[in-house]
Amino acid sequence: MKNYYIKNRFLILRRFTQLGILLLFFLSNCSLITINNKEHLIFQGNLESFTKNERNLAIANTKTELIAPPILMGNLSGSKILDFLPMSDPLVFLQVFFAGGAISLDLFLGFLVIVFIYGIFLGRGFCAFVCPINLITDLANFLRRKLKIENIRFVVFSRQTKFAILALSLFLSFLFGILAWESISPISMLHRGVVFGMGMGFFGILAVFLFDLFMLKNGFCGHLCPLGATYSIIGAKSLLKVQYDLDKCTKCMNCVRICPENQVLDLIGKHSGFVNKIACIKCGRCIEACDDDALHFNLLNFKTKKEKK
Amino acid sequence: MNPQRRRTLKSITQIMGLVSFGGLIWSAYLAEAKDNTQMLFPPAARDNFLSTCIKCGLCVEACPYYTLKLSSSGIKGIPFFTPRDIPCFMCEDVPCVVACPTSALDKNLLLTNNKLDITKARMGVAVVDTFNCIAYAGIQCDACYRACPLIDKAIYLEYKSNTRTGKHALLLPIVANDICTGCGKCEKACVTEIASIKVLKHDQVLGKMGTNYIKGWDKKDEERLETAEPQKKKDSKNHALDYLNEESL
């Protein structure tokens, strides 16, 4: 049993961070309200259960935060850690800029924090470790394997499409003066839905799930998502990379089979080195799938880089 | 023949086609959604609110009264409130505006002598439906007047004699459009089945006099002339008699 945990250590870590971040966001919006000297817990600001004869008993009662100060406030579009350190979605920042909105200090600082963390260390790790849509697309991929429909695809388009959509979303933001991607993004719908209530956003998430399950493998994250494209560009030179060792490899191709962006593993079976392609989401699935210990995470080692030259 | 080049050209045209098709649907959706924002925004929402709000919901979490919600129609995720459900309670420290990380809720719009002043908020304007308001029907009611946080300023009562009975008074609620903050407490308090006083956005309610009408007795109103643009003469350049000679009437 211990072997299972070691075998799936990155998967467990990812689920832990993904769900943990969602839980912290969710809890920060939970509150307590006192009605007739009785405390009630309220999720997502929903007061409907207090309606009596057309009157809502909760109105004009003040709420108290469940955790004060909340560890993580807001949602993934914009958040604050311990009511102090801002973080903002880099694509949201760009859209505000192109839509002609006001750039405030907090928004800019939040953008810098993100660029610093992902630009220097984690690269596109956001997609694997933070983005909640990863839970949906991983489920679709899991079902694909179970239903043995791994190679079915109804539409085929290039993985570069996401960069075109990134450009398009910035252009449309500029054209319409609103945040174009934010208003249709299933990622935003999901994390906002968890924190503030789902509403119609559910259908956007269902669409991504069905698209990934039946239309195209890893279709949304790999081919369409402009946020993933943004993190790709931000993290192009990030230090955390997967290192491959040809000498240990038995060419079983388990890593390529499980990788959601398997075009980045083009060096498998050819030469040792780092996975340098910007599309790599650093999920570590290839490392777990490898039974020969040929792959592992490495902070990009400058010494080996020199030796190669 | 270079098959590699052919493949690249094919994939480029494919992406271009896909993007233009997607862009078409997307922009149709955006135009539709943007038109659909008559909801009331939190206090101090700036003019270009839709291009600055990042839908993070920090204002929703900061509001101590569950007033604010994030929209699930039109442009999704925009903070708004429905006064008939929960009005804005006009907190003096305006926690929602303080919490906003992007200045989509702009503190500067509320500052008076470097202090936040919630009465400067302009979320909307209350409008009385005089046809359905029971005070206008002669039944005594001053629920909205009493509920108003700026009583006698934003809503005042006008007394008129009731000509139908000949011996009663009508107490008519009148909204001062320039003082009303649009908090919606009047709409919440209204006793009719559907509220007869409602808060609407400014552009749905307010007109504009234009600089060809100036209240000469009002010094402040005259100041509008100083920034006025010269108006183009819109009269026809043809002489008045021409149309008679041309018989084109």
Side-chain angles (χ1 to χ4, degrees):
Chain A
M1 207 54 197
K2 195 187 170 195
N3 199 21
Y4 172 84
Y5 291 121
I6 290 173
K7 185 84 189 129
N8 289 295
R9 59 196 183 277
F10 295 119
L11 185 66
I12 293 164
L13 179 67
R14 279 168 51 213
R15 294 291 173 261
F16 179 75
T17 54
Q18 283 164 346
L19 293 172
I21 288 168
L22 279 185
L23 184 72
L24 287 177
F25 277 135
F26 176 77
L27 287 178
S28 75
N29 194 35
C30 285
S31 51
L32 296 163
I33 190 168
T34 314
I35 300 170
N36 298 332
N37 295 323
K38 248 183 100 179
E39 277 206 330
H40 302 267
L41 188 64
I42 292 182
F43 306 109
Q44 300 179 325
N46 189 355
L47 297 179
E48 264 166 34
S49 55
F50 298 103
T51 308
K52 272 197 185 127
N53 309 326
E54 295 176 21
R55 267 194 76 219
N56 196 318
L57 301 174
I59 292 167
N61 288 312
T62 47
K63 63 186 185 190
T64 40
E65 280 163 12
L66 188 63
I67 320 165
I71 302 162
L72 207 50
M73 290 172 86
N75 63 26
L76 287 173
S77 308
S79 61
K80 273 195 168 169
I81 299 175
L82 290 170
D83 214 356
F84 164 67
L85 188 69
M87 295 205 283
S88 44
D89 184 320
L91 185 53
V92 159
F93 174 81
L94 290 174
Q95 285 174 92
V96 171
F97 179 75
F98 276 91
I103 305 283
S104 68
L105 184 66
D106 265 12
L107 185 66
F108 188 61
L109 272 179
F111 175 68
L112 287 186
V113 168
I114 290 295
V115 169
F116 181 78
I117 295 174
Y118 291 97
I120 294 188
F121 300 108
L122 294 174
R124 210 187 146 186
F126 174 87
C127 300
F129 286 88
V130 180
C131 183
I133 280 287
N134 185 269
L135 294 163
I136 310 290
T137 54
D138 272 6
L139 178 65
N141 275 344
F142 174 75
L143 287 177
R144 264 178 179 269
R145 283 196 295 274
K146 285 284 162 225
L147 298 172
K148 308 242 183 294
I149 52 171
E150 267 190 274
N151 294 319
I152 289 185
R153 40 186 193 179
F154 272 93
V155 283
V156 185
F157 41 82
S158 160
R159 284 182 185 264
Q160 305 304 318
T161 312
K162 54 180 178 281
F163 293 99
I165 292 182
L166 171 60
L168 185 65
S169 65
L170 296 181
F171 176 68
L172 289 181
S173 297
F174 172 73
L175 209 62
F176 285 92
I178 54 176
L179 317 189
W181 172 247
E182 272 311 286
S183 48
I184 61 164
S185 163
I187 309 165
S188 307
M189 285 174 197
L190 184 51
H191 59 69
R192 211 160 51 218
V194 169
V195 185
F196 299 104
M198 195 61 85
M200 300 306 275
F202 173 75
F203 291 103
I205 297 149
L206 188 66
V208 169
F209 176 69
L210 294 177
F211 180 71
D212 267 32
L213 184 57
F214 294 119
M215 304 283 271
L216 182 63
K217 190 184 174 200
N218 199 32
F220 180 74
C221 304
H223 297 75
L224 296 178
C225 179
L227 185 59
T230 312
Y231 275 106
S232 289
I233 296 168
I234 289 174
K237 300 284 176 202
S238 63
L239 294 177
L240 186 71
K241 295 266 153 89
V242 174
Q243 192 177 23
Y244 169 67
D245 192 349
L246 181 62
D247 300 336
K248 289 182 183 167
C249 180
T250 55
K251 296 183 186 133
C252 67
M253 291 294 156
N254 273 343
C255 52
V256 179
R257 214 165 292 130
I258 201 127
C259 178
E261 298 270 355
N262 46 28
Q263 81 283 6
V264 305
L265 293 177
D266 55 355
L267 55 114
I268 298 296
K270 290 181 190 140
H271 55 87
S272 299
F274 293 100
V275 177
N276 269 326
K277 293 274 170 60
I278 60 174
C280 173
I281 65 172
K282 275 94 177 164
C283 63
R285 290 298 274 161
C286 54
I287 299 169
E288 294 164 345
C290 184
D291 290 324
D292 311 318
D293 202 24
L295 289 153
H296 45 87
F297 273 128
N298 199 346
L299 279 178
L300 187 53
N301 193 335
F302 292 102
K303 213 166 119 193
T304 32
K305 217 177 178 182
K306 258 183 211 162
E307 277 173 9
K308 239 167 57 184
K309 278 174 191 170
Chain B
M1 273 297 158
N2 184 348
Q4 180 62 41
R5 195 182 70 157
R6 186 167 276 197
R7 221 175 299 139
T8 311
L9 282 176
K10 196 179 146 200
S11 102
I12 288 174
T13 41
Q14 197 186 21
I15 292 180
M16 275 169 59
L18 196 74
V19 161
S20 47
F21 177 68
L24 213 63
I25 298 174
W26 193 352
S27 49
Y29 169 77
L30 288 180
E32 184 81 22
K34 204 186 166 188
D35 249 16
N36 192 14
T37 47
Q38 295 304 350
M39 47 182 118
L40 299 174
F41 298 148
R46 58 194 298 141
D47 283 343
N48 53 351
F49 184 70
L50 292 180
S51 64
T52 311
C53 172
I54 62 168
K55 304 158 187 185
C56 64
L58 282 169
C59 54
V60 176
E61 286 171 8
C63 176
Y65 291 103
Y66 303 99
T67 297
L68 299 175
K69 300 264 182 293
L70 293 185
S71 66
S72 59
S73 66
I75 301 179
K76 288 159 193 69
I78 295 283
F80 76 107
F81 69 103
T82 316
R84 191 64 163 165
D85 294 339
I86 309 179
C88 170
F89 287 86
M90 290 177 55
C91 317
E92 276 178 22
D93 51 349
V94 214
C96 52
V97 175
V98 176
C100 181
T102 61
S103 76
L105 305 176
D106 192 353
K107 235 186 266 182
N108 297 327
L109 294 177
L110 297 185
L111 288 182
T112 317
N113 301 329
N114 250 330
K115 270 182 82 178
L116 285 172
D117 177 11
I118 184 65
T119 61
K120 282 179 90 179
R122 293 290 178 267
M123 296 169 264
V125 174
V127 189
V128 184
D129 172 5
T130 55
F131 185 71
N132 288 306
C133 173
I134 59 168
Y136 280 81
I139 302 163
Q140 194 190 343
C141 171
D142 54 7
C144 56
Y145 169 73
R146 298 280 167 205
C148 182
L150 299 173
I151 185 168
D152 272 328
K153 288 183 209 129
I155 301 184
Y156 54 91
L157 293 179
E158 197 173 273
Y159 302 96
K160 258 190 182 170
S161 69
N162 186 338
T163 48
R164 187 180 61 80
T165 62
K167 52 185 170 183
H168 298 96
L170 298 175
L171 276 65
L172 308 178
I174 310 269
V175 179
N177 288 348
D178 54 339
I179 296 173
C180 176
T181 61
C183 70
K185 277 193 160 181
C186 51
E187 183 176 338
K188 175 67 189 159
C190 183
V191 299
T192 56
E193 192 175 318
I194 296 171
S196 298
I197 182 166
K198 278 188 187 157
V199 178
L200 299 173
K201 301 276 276 194
H202 286 90
D203 55 358
Q204 290 174 297
V205 177
L206 298 185
K208 193 185 173 195
M209 229 183 250
T211 44
N212 43 349
Y213 300 103
I214 295 288
K215 291 179 259 178
W217 59 91
D218 185 351
K219 269 273 180 284
K220 261 204 173 155
D221 208 38
E222 241 172 81
E223 282 168 16
R224 285 197 297 141
L225 277 175
E226 286 168 17
T227 52
E229 297 266 318
Q231 285 186 339
K232 270 190 189 152
K233 213 178 169 195
K234 282 177 194 153
D235 296 343
S236 165
K237 278 176 187 160
N238 299 336
H239 288 292
L241 282 175
D242 279 359
Y243 74 93
L244 290 175
N245 297 331
E246 284 163 9
E247 295 185 335
S248 60
L249 186 66

